[in-house]
Amino acid sequence: MRGNSRVSSRLMDAAGKLAQTKVRSDFRALPEWVMPLVTVGVFCIDAFVAAAAFIGAFKLREGKPILDGASWSNEFAPYGSVLLFAIVVTLAMLMYMRVYRFFGAFSFMQEAVKIAKAVIFASLLTIAWAFMFRGLFVFQEFSYSRGVFLLNFAFALVSLIAFHWILRFLQVRFRNRGINLIPTIIVGLNAEAEQTVAELETEKHLGYRVFGVVSSGENGGGEFTVPMLGSVAELDSIIREHGIREVIITDNSIESSTLFDAMMQLGRKQKVEFRFAPNILDLLPQKTSVDQIGVLPMVRLFREPLSDAQRFFKRASDLVIAIVATIITLPIWLIAAIAIKLDSRGNVLFKQQRVGMDGRNFLCYKFRTMRADADESLHREAYHKNIEGESEANAGDDEKPVFGKVKDDPRITRVGRFLRRSSIDELPQLLNVIRGEMSIVGPRPPIPYEVELYELWHRKRLDMKPGITGLWQVSGRNRLTFDEMVRADIYYIENWSLLLDAKIILLTLPAMFRGDGAR
């Protein structure tokens, strides 16, 4: 009997390897440079379409020549100054709406809606640019035709939707031949897993290629046409070995800590997306999205806090604000530097290791507010108490506790106390923003020995660049417990928008004047 079981086991292993080989041979992985090249090509064609729509609108409405030799004609010159802006803003809005995402499931209707939103916003911005700035005030007396902008909107909308629908139709044809598919695994052996495998294998146009299933530890009655790759305990190694980019979890018996551990082992560079079946919504974090893959509803979790387009806009706004703020506050920098030098010995700037996005260390700059020979052990102890939830200061019945700070810290200089109360000591962090290590708004930048004490869920706040200000600043700063501060940071990460950044920046000014948490 024992010999028969060994033979049976070897036959099952051989069958699994054979099936796995078949899966690999059926999967046509594109070279890494192909899709970026396709994206650049589509981007360039969109720029041409946007330009053609604008020029065509002028030609149809005005019926006048576009060129006069090698330059714009006198009639088109005022519009020529708007043409470049119209192209740039149209491409920017298409990027923001994630039109250039060519992996995973899509629908023609959703594609049309995204393009329509992008064209609407781009057209409104183009009209505002034309009538407010009038070719950078070169054509102040010129009266633009509203019909040109209306026709431009119609032409751009129809032509861009038509082009992208043709593009998506070609993409479906390629996917049916096994090209442009996302390497995927299914976690679970239940009926839901069987249905998911059958749907994704049958409907290739959805863009997924199932490499196999992973056992979640529970026995299931499903019958699968793909191989068994291992157990959920080996999830991170399975993902690396097969180059998996999508993990679909159909079994609600899996502990959430197991998934988080796998994610921590993988790291952000693997760019793996996890999806849950919607019957375990009680385990989901706030930032999720509900998609439909064929007839299967899926909830996507562990999403990137910001898309590439959102990161671009946030970085651009950070640079503009940081450079302008640095120029405006230069007199304050000079006065602060002189006051620090006159008050105590030591450098003007204080440099300290902080932990940024994805756990990367960087040197954070501040104006020195302590004596040069200050011992950091008091501060380390205060932060340890902060994470444990203990308050450091209780000065009286009417005073709320201060968390993460040393009560009546003897190391702070006289000038340093004022710099902290007014938040002037944080101005040099504008240099960190310009260098790309910090953002204007974001989570508070932690110290390495603070991060060492983090629980797993605390590390979620490292998903975004730390900020000079943030919800922790305008919500009470050091009046918050550590867990309250982390929850505020996670709320900000999961609900980020440029409007939220603007609100926090506006609320920071009165918080600075009140001197919140500067004790």
Side-chain angles (χ1 to χ4, degrees), residues 432-492:
N432 291 114
V433 176
I434 294 173
R435 287 162 57 96
E437 298 158 337
M438 292 182 64
S439 182
I440 296 295
V441 182
R444 184 188 61 78
I447 304 171
Y449 57 71
E450 176 187 352
V451 176
E452 292 174 1
L453 301 174
Y454 277 8
E455 297 178 14
L456 189 61
W457 73 277
H458 293 155
R459 294 181 178 272
K460 176 69 176 174
R461 65 191 303 270
L462 302 179
D463 278 355
M464 189 177 284
K465 287 181 183 179
I468 297 177
T469 186
L471 276 180
W472 52 274
Q473 170 81 285
V474 301
S475 301
R477 204 169 170 182
N478 299 313
R479 304 297 185 189
L480 299 177
T481 66
F482 177 75
D483 282 355
E484 288 172 340
M485 182 198 68
V486 174
R487 290 189 183 96
D489 287 340
I490 292 176
Y491 175 86
Y492 168 77

Side-chain angles (χ1 to χ4, degrees), residues 175-248:
R175 284 181 172 180
N176 287 333
R177 298 182 180 182
I179 301 173
N180 186 233
L181 303 179
I182 299 176
T184 305
I185 56 174
I186 311 297
V187 180
L189 300 178
N190 49 16
E192 289 80 7
E194 182 182 359
Q195 181 187 6
T196 301
V197 171
E199 178 73 9
L200 298 185
E201 286 288 277
T202 304
E203 305 295 336
K204 287 287 187 2
H205 68 272
L206 296 175
Y208 296 86
R209 182 51 161 143
V210 181
F211 267 58
V213 294
V214 175
S215 169
S216 58
E218 295 289 331
N219 293 327
E223 296 182 3
F224 301 98
T225 57
V226 293
M228 169 78 71
L229 300 178
S231 68
V232 71
E234 306 165 295
L235 187 58
D236 57 320
S237 60
I238 292 172
I239 290 172
R240 286 196 185 93
E241 179 183 353
H242 299 279
I244 301 301
R245 290 292 176 265
E246 196 92 17
V247 179
I248 298 177

Side-chain angles (χ1 to χ4, degrees), residues 184-395:
T184 305
I185 56 174
I186 311 297
V187 180
L189 300 178
N190 49 16
E192 289 80 7
E194 182 182 359
Q195 181 187 6
T196 301
V197 171
E199 178 73 9
L200 298 185
E201 286 288 277
T202 304
E203 305 295 336
K204 287 287 187 2
H205 68 272
L206 296 175
Y208 296 86
R209 182 51 161 143
V210 181
F211 267 58
V213 294
V214 175
S215 169
S216 58
E218 295 289 331
N219 293 327
E223 296 182 3
F224 301 98
T225 57
V226 293
M228 169 78 71
L229 300 178
S231 68
V232 71
E234 306 165 295
L235 187 58
D236 57 320
S237 60
I238 292 172
I239 290 172
R240 286 196 185 93
E241 179 183 353
H242 299 279
I244 301 301
R245 290 292 176 265
E246 196 92 17
V247 179
I248 298 177
I249 302 151
T250 64
D251 191 342
N252 61 3
S253 66
I254 301 173
E255 294 183 1
S256 57
S257 59
T258 303
L259 300 177
F260 278 106
D261 286 341
M263 288 192 62
M264 295 300 293
Q265 292 292 330
L266 289 169
R268 186 184 299 275
K269 291 183 179 179
Q270 291 290 329
K271 294 183 178 180
V272 180
E273 291 208 23
F274 290 74
R275 297 179 190 267
F276 263 140
N279 60 335
I280 44 176
L281 284 172
D282 55 321
L283 297 179
L284 297 179
Q286 286 182 330
K287 187 152 191 174
T288 61
S289 67
V290 180
D291 302 323
Q292 186 167 335
I293 301 177
V295 298
L296 304 171
M298 292 286 173
V299 178
R300 181 156 55 109
L301 67 158
F302 306 131
R303 293 175 57 192
E304 287 288 319
L306 305 181
S307 66
D308 291 340
Q310 289 172 327
R311 287 187 186 279
F312 170 79
F313 283 108
K314 184 169 176 61
R315 177 60 181 153
S317 65
D318 282 342
L319 279 175
V320 172
I321 295 172
I323 292 172
V324 172
T326 301
I327 295 172
I328 293 175
T329 59
L330 273 179
I332 300 177
W333 289 53
L334 181 60
I335 294 171
I338 294 173
I340 292 169
K341 273 296 186 183
L342 294 176
D343 184 52
S344 61
R345 292 181 301 173
N347 296 328
V348 171
L349 289 181
F350 172 69
K351 303 175 184 179
Q352 186 181 43
Q353 284 283 342
R354 294 291 179 112
V355 181
M357 188 173 75
D358 296 333
R360 292 191 293 267
N361 285 7
F362 68 97
L363 276 180
C364 181
Y365 301 113
K366 299 179 73 172
F367 281 124
R368 181 174 59 82
T369 58
M370 294 186 180
R371 299 194 311 268
D373 58 348
D375 182 10
E376 73 169 14
S377 61
L378 288 174
H379 194 258
R380 185 188 291 261
E381 182 182 355
Y383 265 93
H384 188 275
K385 290 182 177 180
N386 185 27
I387 294 177
E388 294 295 328
E390 302 176 28
S391 59
E392 179 63 29
N394 281 293

